[in-house]
Amino acid sequence: MDMTALLQGLDLVGTFAFGLSGATLAVRHRLDLVGVLALAVAAALAGGMIRDALLGATPAAALTDGRLLLTALGAGLAGFFFHRALNRLRKPVLVLDALGLGLFAVTGCRRALDHGLDPLPSLILGVLTAVGGGAVRDVLVAEVPRVLREEIYALAALVGGLVLVAGLRLGLPEPAVALAAVAAAFVLRIVSVLRGWSAPRPPGT
């Protein structure tokens, strides 16, 4: 399997998933079409743009690869017109957000590694890619970003990145490692919400 094609595919799927999560949240807050598209684009692309700026990879991929912006806008339109169908799913924003989290944690970490960064800063940029868009999305509707709440969020992205780095260090097939890393982050995020797990809080609070 061509790893470049796989990463591009994961990036597009993650863009669509996060775009839908932004659009769904915008509809929940009764925003108009412009607001829905704005939240979709912010959720889908902000994390990657911040990552690329820190890597010095300018213009950012979201501005040079038209497919990413079109995918984000397509997700926004899908959320605008089909939000009733999406809302029939149980916690649609959670599922879409968890999927985007895993996908972007992997593609963000791999992009940082490709730029020659060591594993630790690559993991940090992978987490930033995964949580950045969701944080911007939440701030735009005056919600506390999920990454700052008690739920396991950034930690799930970190686990996905760790699976990727460990698998690459062990010389395992990269496509399988990438998919396993996405699955690890997604499953941890979903299970943590269903089980009520949370990140540690300061003692006495």
Side-chain angles (χ1 to χ4, degrees):
M1 183 184 296
D2 184 351
M3 192 59 201
T4 300
L6 176 61
L7 289 174
Q8 289 175 345
L10 292 178
D11 218 18
L12 289 172
V13 174
T15 297
F16 191 80
F18 260 138
L20 267 182
S21 77
T24 304
L25 187 62
V27 170
R28 182 183 300 169
H29 282 266
R30 303 181 65 82
L31 302 187
D32 63 12
L33 176 60
V34 174
V36 171
L37 293 178
L39 244 65
V41 170
L45 303 180
M49 294 179 74
I50 295 170
R51 174 204 63 211
D52 288 348
L54 292 174
L55 287 172
T58 55
L63 301 178
T64 58
D65 187 346
R67 295 174 301 173
L68 293 172
L69 182 56
L70 287 174
T71 300
L73 291 172
L77 290 173
F80 183 83
F81 287 108
F82 303 112
H83 61 92
R84 291 186 180 87
L86 286 171
N87 284 331
R88 294 192 188 100
L89 303 174
R90 186 170 182 266
K91 297 185 177 179
V93 174
L94 169 64
V95 174
L96 293 168
D97 198 59
L99 179 60
L101 188 79
L103 292 164
F104 278 2
V106 170
T107 58
C109 182
R110 192 67 183 89
R111 186 170 176 85
L113 290 170
D114 288 341
H115 274 73
L117 269 62
D118 291 333
L120 181 57
S122 295
L123 286 170
I124 293 172
L125 284 185
V127 172
L128 181 60
T129 305
V131 306
V136 172
R137 172 201 64 202
D138 294 343
V139 168
L140 287 174
V141 291
E143 289 188 3
V144 177
R146 295 177 189 274
V147 67
L148 302 180
R149 301 178 191 173
E150 296 178 21
E151 299 171 349
I152 292 176
Y153 193 72
L155 182 58
L158 180 61
V159 167
L162 284 170
V163 171
L164 177 71
V165 170
L168 295 178
R169 284 297 183 91
L170 291 172
L172 299 176
E174 191 167 353
V177 169
L179 294 176
V182 171
F186 176 80
V187 170
L188 177 57
R189 170 66 181 148
I190 295 294
V191 172
S192 69
V193 173
L194 295 179
R195 295 291 184 89
W197 296 344
S198 62
R201 300 180 65 183
T205 62

